[in-house]
Amino acid sequence: MIVSTFRRGSPSSVIRLAILSRVIILGGMILSDITIPDHNPGDDVLQFNLRLSSGGDDGISGGDGGRRCFCLEGHACDTTRGGAYEGKRRKTVNRRYHSPVCATSKDSTLDSSTCSSCMTPAFIDTFYRLLLSPLTKWDSARFLSLAVDPAARMPKNIQNTPNEVQSGDDRFADSEQAHAFFPLFPLCIRYVALMLVRIAPSASLPSTFEGVTALSAVIINLICFVSAAISLYETTRLLLLRSLERLKEPEVEKAAFLVASLFCFNPASVFFTASYSESVFAALTFGGHALASRGFLLLAVVPWALATYARSNGTFSSIWIVLQGIGQVVSVAVGQWTASAYADVSTIKKIGRVIKGCLPTMALHIMLAVAVASPVMFHEWRGYQFHCYDDQDTNAILPRNVRPSW
């Protein structure tokens, strides 16, 4: 009854609905952020500083003494330290215990003291502060910090941290918490932010790299959310067209649009707008199912594996692949056994034929399932290297005598 009275949808209408839902949710987040005082979660909860405070009072100025510093030393925008890979935690001063320093880059587009990005008009920064502040709370702060600071996943520099943190497990606190947040979303944010700095008009961007990073998260989540809604619509439509009820095309499109509408306005919709990895995960997971529903299972493994690198629950796609394999194996086994039922062959040969027909199918699906789950295995291996690696090599992440208590 509900489906019959719902409007008929199309991909274009799903796009419009998805964008409208994001505008409504973001408007509500901005309004609540302005009217409701911020909750103080305590010093143990990481908070992300956009450094877009009114009047440019962020405590850090550029090389000319009066202009807000665009890029801090050691951040991904700091090209003097090789960006994401050379400025490792063991070679740099931990910025949690030292005052941040403004970076000086040979790249004119990223130079904190001369770049035109730092000349962003005050009203633009005010607009971005209102727009982006609600998107930096709770886990968003962790994702954005990992995007801004390439060294945030690594244990603190043991030599360069103050004496009071040389003992105990405090040196591992940040890296252990960061390990819970998978790398794909922060990496996407980081490289989109660096791209925006280079190609977007300077006056249209926030005056700090942190602000550009938060803006990049908004852009990524908007694109991914729209993509997820379209993929969900297409998957529902294709599955209903193959259902046993033999639904007509208008009914199928209405039902698919209803499903997409419920996704756009679901109770957890705020997490798809904030700087969380839900939108990226949904786009990749639903995109993989859209491909699989069209018969492209091998191709669907690519977005599913990427989804696993965004969130650990992407491994559930591996279970789906195995279940699909079991279903195909049962179908092949029944077909093979039925075909040989009236043949003048022994039972052993019949079983052999069934196994021969089923084994390749099951082996293929198991390999695909392992491929989808492999990013989680890689991430856990990297975490082991960061915290438990035992090697005499001078390049080892942790020395032999330095390990967490666990």
Side-chain angles (χ1 to χ4, degrees):
M1 183 65 180
I2 295 177
V3 173
S4 62
T5 59
F6 208 71
R7 63 167 293 184
R8 182 176 178 178
S10 64
S12 60
S13 61
V14 172
I15 292 174
R16 290 193 297 269
L17 182 66
I19 295 175
L20 176 62
S21 69
R22 294 311 90 196
V23 173
I24 293 173
I25 295 297
L26 182 57
M29 294 174 68
I30 294 173
L31 182 62
S32 64
D33 189 62
I34 294 174
T35 57
I36 301 175
D38 285 345
H39 168 70
N40 182 10
D43 296 336
D44 293 336
V45 177
L46 180 68
Q47 300 185 46
F48 187 76
N49 184 11
L50 291 169
R51 298 195 296 113
L52 296 176
S53 56
S54 58
D57 184 19
D58 58 8
I60 310 162
S61 58
D64 59 358
R67 188 180 298 169
R68 176 183 285 124
C69 176
F70 176 74
C71 179
L72 299 182
E73 186 180 81
H75 283 181
C77 51
D78 181 10
T79 58
T80 60
R81 290 189 177 271
Y85 301 105
E86 291 182 15
K88 292 187 176 180
R89 175 77 49 111
R90 66 174 181 266
K91 297 180 180 178
T92 58
V93 176
N94 186 279
R95 286 173 293 281
R96 179 178 175 182
Y97 296 95
H98 297 76
S99 299
V101 179
C102 189
T104 302
S105 172
K106 297 179 181 179
D107 189 340
S108 60
T109 62
L110 298 176
D111 195 328
S112 307
S113 60
T114 62
C115 73
S116 56
S117 298
C118 303
M119 298 301 292
T120 301
F123 74 91
I124 296 292
D125 267 354
T126 301
F127 167 76
Y128 279 125
R129 188 169 65 252
L130 293 174
L131 174 69
L132 301 176
S133 292
L135 310 177
T136 63
K137 313 296 184 182
W138 299 105
D139 286 356
S140 297
R142 183 69 64 178
F143 282 115
L144 293 172
S145 297
L146 290 171
V148 168
D149 184 2
R153 287 192 181 277
M154 307 181 70
K156 297 171 194 171
N157 186 338
I158 299 168
Q159 289 77 24
N160 291 332
T161 48
N163 292 330
E164 59 266 22
V165 299
Q166 288 297 309
S167 60
D169 287 342
D170 188 48
R171 67 172 69 94
F172 303 105
D174 290 341
S175 59
E176 286 177 359
Q177 294 175 20
H179 184 68
F181 298 85
F182 276 52
L184 181 63
F185 185 50
L187 287 174
C188 291
I189 296 174
R190 179 186 306 164
Y191 289 111
V192 169
L194 293 173
M195 181 185 68
L196 286 177
V197 169
R198 295 183 180 279
I199 68 174
S202 301
S204 66
L205 295 176
S207 61
T208 65
F209 185 68
E210 289 87 342
V212 178
T213 301
L215 178 61
S216 302
V218 174
I219 295 172
I220 291 171
N221 279 345
L222 176 60
I223 294 174
C224 288
F225 186 84
V226 173
S227 175
I230 295 174
S231 297
L232 183 60
Y233 171 84
E234 285 295 319
T235 302
T236 305
R237 188 181 67 85
L238 291 170
L239 292 178
L240 288 177
L241 286 174
R242 297 203 301 262
S243 67
L244 298 177
E245 296 183 9
R246 302 295 182 184
L247 299 175
K248 296 180 180 180
E249 184 71 23
E251 295 175 327
V252 168
E253 291 183 356
K254 287 180 181 180
F257 189 71
L258 174 58
V259 171
S261 300
L262 293 175
F263 170 70
C264 290
F265 291 99
N266 72 81
S269 192
V270 64
F271 298 108
F272 292 85
T273 300
S275 301
Y276 280 50
S277 59
E278 269 77 355
S279 287
V280 173
F281 177 76
L284 293 169
T285 302
F286 294 162
H289 281 288
L291 290 171
S293 62
R294 292 180 179 272
F296 302 114
L297 180 60
L298 292 177
L299 194 58
V301 169
V302 176
W304 283 337
L306 290 173
T308 306
Y309 206 46
R311 295 181 66 85
S312 61
N313 47 355
T315 52
F316 282 107
S317 296
S318 299
I319 300 176
W320 185 88
I321 292 174
V322 172
L323 291 176
Q324 286 290 105
I326 293 174
Q328 291 187 24
V329 164
V330 171
S331 178
V332 170
V334 171
Q336 291 278 0
W337 189 266
T338 302
S340 60
Y342 301 101
D344 188 16
V345 294
S346 64
T347 303
I348 299 299
K349 288 185 177 181
K350 291 180 183 179
I351 295 175
R353 290 179 181 179
V354 170
I355 294 175
K356 185 178 180 181
C358 295
L359 191 59
T361 300
M362 199 65 235
L364 173 63
H365 284 78
I366 290 175
M367 287 190 293
L368 294 179
V370 171
V372 169
S374 60
V376 170
M377 303 175 192
F378 173 75
H379 184 66
E380 294 302 322
W381 174 72
R382 289 290 291 166
Y384 181 85
Q385 275 197 318
F386 288 159
H387 299 96
C388 308
Y389 192 55
D390 187 7
D391 200 323
Q392 295 293 337
D393 183 36
T394 56
N395 293 322
I397 294 176
L398 292 181
R400 178 180 292 273
N401 62 340
V402 179
R403 286 186 176 183
S405 59
W406 46 265

Coordinates of all heavy atoms in Angstrom, one line a residue, residues 217-258:
A217 N 36.5 17.2 3.6 CA 35.7 16.2 4.1 C 34.2 16.4 3.8 O 33.5 15.4 3.4 CB 35.8 16.1 5.7
V218 N 33.8 17.6 3.8 CA 32.4 17.9 3.4 C 32.1 17.6 1.9 O 31.1 16.9 1.6 CB 32.1 19.4 3.6 CG1 30.7 19.8 3.0 CG2 32.2 19.8 5.1
I219 N 33.1 17.9 1.0 CA 32.9 17.7 -0.4 C 32.9 16.2 -0.6 O 32.1 15.6 -1.4 CB 34.1 18.3 -1.2 CG1 34.0 19.9 -1.0 CG2 34.1 17.9 -2.6 CD1 35.2 20.6 -1.6
I220 N 33.9 15.4 0.0 CA 33.9 14.0 -0.2 C 32.7 13.3 0.3 O 32.1 12.5 -0.4 CB 35.2 13.4 0.6 CG1 36.4 13.9 -0.1 CG2 35.1 11.9 0.6 CD1 37.7 13.5 0.7
N221 N 32.2 13.7 1.4 CA 31.0 13.1 2.0 C 29.7 13.4 1.2 O 28.9 12.5 1.0 CB 30.8 13.5 3.4 CG 31.6 12.7 4.4 OD1 32.2 11.7 4.1 ND2 31.8 13.2 5.6
L222 N 29.7 14.6 0.6 CA 28.5 14.9 -0.2 C 28.5 14.0 -1.5 O 27.5 13.5 -1.9 CB 28.5 16.4 -0.6 CG 27.4 16.9 -1.6 CD1 26.1 16.6 -1.0 CD2 27.6 18.3 -1.9
I223 N 29.6 14.0 -2.2 CA 29.7 13.2 -3.4 C 29.5 11.7 -3.1 O 28.7 11.0 -3.8 CB 31.1 13.4 -4.0 CG1 31.3 14.8 -4.5 CG2 31.3 12.4 -5.2 CD1 32.7 15.1 -5.0
C224 N 30.1 11.2 -2.0 CA 29.9 9.8 -1.7 C 28.5 9.5 -1.3 O 27.9 8.4 -1.6 CB 30.9 9.4 -0.6 SG 32.6 9.3 -1.2
F225 N 27.8 10.4 -0.5 CA 26.5 10.1 -0.1 C 25.5 10.0 -1.3 O 24.7 9.2 -1.4 CB 26.0 11.2 0.8 CG 24.6 10.9 1.4 CD1 24.5 10.1 2.6 CD2 23.5 11.5 0.9 CE1 23.3 9.9 3.1 CE2 22.2 11.2 1.4 CZ 22.1 10.4 2.5
V226 N 25.7 11.0 -2.3 CA 24.9 10.9 -3.5 C 25.1 9.6 -4.2 O 24.2 9.0 -4.7 CB 25.2 12.2 -4.4 CG1 24.4 12.0 -5.7 CG2 24.7 13.4 -3.6
S227 N 26.4 9.3 -4.4 CA 26.7 8.0 -5.0 C 26.1 6.8 -4.3 O 25.6 5.9 -5.0 CB 28.3 7.9 -5.1 OG 28.6 6.6 -5.7
A228 N 26.1 6.8 -3.0 CA 25.6 5.7 -2.2 C 24.1 5.6 -2.5 O 23.5 4.5 -2.6 CB 25.9 5.9 -0.8
A229 N 23.4 6.8 -2.5 CA 21.9 6.8 -2.7 C 21.6 6.2 -4.1 O 20.6 5.4 -4.2 CB 21.4 8.2 -2.5
I230 N 22.3 6.6 -5.1 CA 22.1 6.1 -6.5 C 22.3 4.6 -6.6 O 21.5 3.9 -7.1 CB 23.0 6.9 -7.5 CG1 22.6 8.4 -7.5 CG2 22.8 6.3 -8.9 CD1 23.5 9.2 -8.4
S231 N 23.4 4.2 -6.0 CA 23.8 2.7 -6.0 C 22.7 1.9 -5.3 O 22.3 0.8 -5.7 CB 25.1 2.5 -5.4 OG 26.1 3.1 -6.1
L232 N 22.2 2.4 -4.2 CA 21.2 1.7 -3.4 C 19.9 1.7 -4.2 O 19.2 0.6 -4.3 CB 20.9 2.4 -2.1 CG 19.9 1.7 -1.2 CD1 20.3 0.3 -0.8 CD2 19.7 2.6 0.1
Y233 N 19.5 2.8 -4.9 CA 18.4 2.8 -5.8 C 18.5 1.8 -6.9 O 17.6 1.0 -7.2 CB 18.2 4.2 -6.3 CG 17.2 4.3 -7.4 CD1 15.8 4.5 -7.1 CD2 17.5 4.3 -8.8 CE1 14.9 4.6 -8.1 CE2 16.6 4.4 -9.8 CZ 15.2 4.6 -9.4 OH 14.3 4.7 -10.4
E234 N 19.6 1.7 -7.6 CA 19.8 0.8 -8.7 C 19.9 -0.6 -8.2 O 19.3 -1.5 -8.9 CB 21.2 1.2 -9.4 CG 21.1 2.4 -10.3 CD 20.1 2.2 -11.4 OE1 20.1 1.1 -12.0 OE2 19.4 3.2 -11.7
T235 N 20.5 -0.9 -7.1 CA 20.5 -2.3 -6.6 C 19.1 -2.8 -6.3 O 18.7 -3.9 -6.6 CB 21.4 -2.4 -5.3 OG1 22.7 -1.9 -5.6 CG2 21.5 -3.8 -4.8
T236 N 18.3 -1.9 -5.6 CA 16.9 -2.3 -5.3 C 16.1 -2.5 -6.5 O 15.4 -3.5 -6.6 CB 16.3 -1.2 -4.4 OG1 17.1 -0.9 -3.3 CG2 14.9 -1.6 -4.0
R237 N 16.3 -1.7 -7.5 CA 15.5 -1.8 -8.7 C 15.8 -3.1 -9.5 O 14.9 -3.8 -9.9 CB 15.8 -0.6 -9.6 CG 14.9 -0.5 -10.9 CD 15.2 0.7 -11.7 NE 16.6 0.6 -12.3 CZ 16.8 0.0 -13.4 NH1 15.8 -0.6 -14.1 NH2 18.1 -0.1 -13.9
L238 N 17.1 -3.4 -9.6 CA 17.5 -4.6 -10.3 C 17.1 -5.9 -9.6 O 16.7 -6.8 -10.2 CB 19.1 -4.6 -10.5 CG 19.6 -3.5 -11.4 CD1 21.1 -3.5 -11.3 CD2 19.2 -3.8 -12.8
L239 N 17.2 -5.9 -8.3 CA 16.8 -7.1 -7.5 C 15.2 -7.3 -7.6 O 14.8 -8.4 -7.7 CB 17.2 -6.9 -6.0 CG 18.7 -7.0 -5.8 CD1 19.0 -6.8 -4.3 CD2 19.3 -8.3 -6.3
L240 N 14.5 -6.2 -7.5 CA 13.0 -6.3 -7.6 C 12.6 -6.7 -9.0 O 11.6 -7.5 -9.2 CB 12.4 -5.0 -7.3 CG 12.4 -4.6 -5.8 CD1 11.8 -3.2 -5.6 CD2 11.7 -5.6 -4.9
L241 N 13.3 -6.3 -10.1 CA 13.0 -6.8 -11.4 C 13.2 -8.3 -11.6 O 12.5 -8.9 -12.4 CB 13.8 -6.0 -12.4 CG 13.5 -4.5 -12.7 CD1 14.5 -3.9 -13.6 CD2 12.1 -4.4 -13.3
R242 N 14.0 -8.9 -10.8 CA 14.3 -10.3 -10.8 C 13.5 -11.1 -9.8 O 13.7 -12.3 -9.7 CB 15.8 -10.6 -10.7 CG 16.7 -10.0 -11.8 CD 18.0 -10.7 -11.9 NE 18.7 -10.7 -10.6 CZ 19.7 -9.9 -10.4 NH1 20.0 -9.0 -11.3 NH2 20.4 -10.0 -9.3
S243 N 12.7 -10.4 -9.0 CA 11.9 -11.1 -8.0 C 10.8 -12.0 -8.6 O 10.4 -11.8 -9.7 CB 11.3 -10.1 -7.0 OG 10.3 -9.3 -7.7
L244 N 10.3 -12.9 -7.8 CA 9.3 -13.8 -8.2 C 7.9 -13.2 -8.3 O 7.0 -13.8 -8.9 CB 9.3 -15.0 -7.2 CG 10.5 -15.9 -7.1 CD1 10.3 -16.9 -6.1 CD2 10.9 -16.5 -8.5
E245 N 7.8 -12.0 -7.8 CA 6.5 -11.4 -7.8 C 6.2 -10.7 -9.2 O 5.0 -10.3 -9.4 CB 6.4 -10.3 -6.7 CG 6.5 -10.9 -5.3 CD 6.3 -9.8 -4.2 OE1 6.0 -8.7 -4.6 OE2 6.6 -10.1 -3.1
R246 N 7.2 -10.6 -10.0 CA 7.0 -10.1 -11.4 C 6.4 -8.7 -11.3 O 5.3 -8.4 -11.9 CB 6.1 -11.0 -12.2 CG 6.6 -12.4 -12.3 CD 7.9 -12.5 -13.1 NE 8.4 -13.9 -13.3 CZ 9.5 -14.2 -13.9 NH1 10.3 -13.2 -14.3 NH2 9.9 -15.4 -14.0
L247 N 7.0 -7.8 -10.6 CA 6.5 -6.5 -10.4 C 6.7 -5.7 -11.7 O 7.6 -5.9 -12.5 CB 7.2 -5.7 -9.3 CG 7.1 -6.3 -7.9 CD1 7.9 -5.6 -6.9 CD2 5.6 -6.3 -7.5
K248 N 5.8 -4.8 -12.0 CA 5.9 -3.9 -13.2 C 6.9 -2.8 -12.9 O 7.2 -2.5 -11.8 CB 4.6 -3.3 -13.5 CG 3.5 -4.4 -13.9 CD 2.2 -3.8 -14.3 CE 1.2 -4.8 -14.7 NZ -0.1 -4.2 -15.1
E249 N 7.5 -2.3 -14.0 CA 8.5 -1.3 -13.9 C 8.1 -0.1 -13.0 O 8.9 0.4 -12.2 CB 8.9 -0.8 -15.3 CG 10.1 0.2 -15.3 CD 11.4 -0.4 -15.0 OE1 11.5 -1.7 -15.2 OE2 12.3 0.3 -14.6
P250 N 6.9 0.5 -13.2 CA 6.6 1.6 -12.3 C 6.6 1.3 -10.8 O 7.0 2.1 -10.0 CB 5.2 2.0 -12.8 CG 5.1 1.5 -14.2 CD 5.9 0.3 -14.2
E251 N 6.1 0.1 -10.5 CA 6.1 -0.3 -9.1 C 7.5 -0.5 -8.6 O 7.8 -0.2 -7.4 CB 5.3 -1.6 -9.0 CG 3.8 -1.5 -9.3 CD 3.1 -2.8 -9.2 OE1 3.7 -3.8 -9.6 OE2 1.9 -2.9 -8.8
V252 N 8.3 -1.1 -9.4 CA 9.7 -1.3 -9.0 C 10.4 0.1 -8.8 O 11.1 0.2 -7.8 CB 10.5 -2.0 -10.1 CG1 12.0 -2.0 -9.9 CG2 10.0 -3.5 -10.2
E253 N 10.2 1.0 -9.6 CA 10.9 2.3 -9.5 C 10.3 3.1 -8.2 O 11.1 3.8 -7.6 CB 10.6 3.2 -10.7 CG 11.4 2.7 -11.9 CD 11.2 3.6 -13.2 OE1 10.5 4.5 -13.1 OE2 11.9 3.3 -14.2
K254 N 9.0 2.9 -7.9 CA 8.5 3.5 -6.7 C 9.1 2.9 -5.5 O 9.5 3.6 -4.5 CB 7.0 3.3 -6.7 CG 6.2 4.2 -7.7 CD 4.7 3.9 -7.6 CE 3.9 4.8 -8.6 NZ 2.5 4.5 -8.4
A255 N 9.2 1.6 -5.5 CA 9.8 0.9 -4.3 C 11.3 1.3 -4.2 O 11.7 1.5 -3.0 CB 9.7 -0.6 -4.5
A256 N 12.0 1.3 -5.3 CA 13.4 1.7 -5.2 C 13.6 3.1 -4.7 O 14.5 3.4 -3.9 CB 14.1 1.5 -6.6
F257 N 12.7 4.0 -5.1 CA 12.8 5.4 -4.7 C 12.5 5.5 -3.2 O 13.0 6.3 -2.5 CB 11.9 6.3 -5.5 CG 12.1 7.8 -5.3 CD1 13.2 8.4 -5.7 CD2 11.1 8.5 -4.5 CE1 13.4 9.8 -5.5 CE2 11.3 9.8 -4.3 CZ 12.4 10.5 -4.8
L258 N 11.5 4.7 -2.7 CA 11.2 4.7 -1.3 C 12.4 4.3 -0.5 O 12.7 4.9 0.6 CB 10.0 3.8 -1.1 CG 9.6 3.5 0.4 CD1 9.2 4.8 1.1 CD2 8.4 2.5 0.5

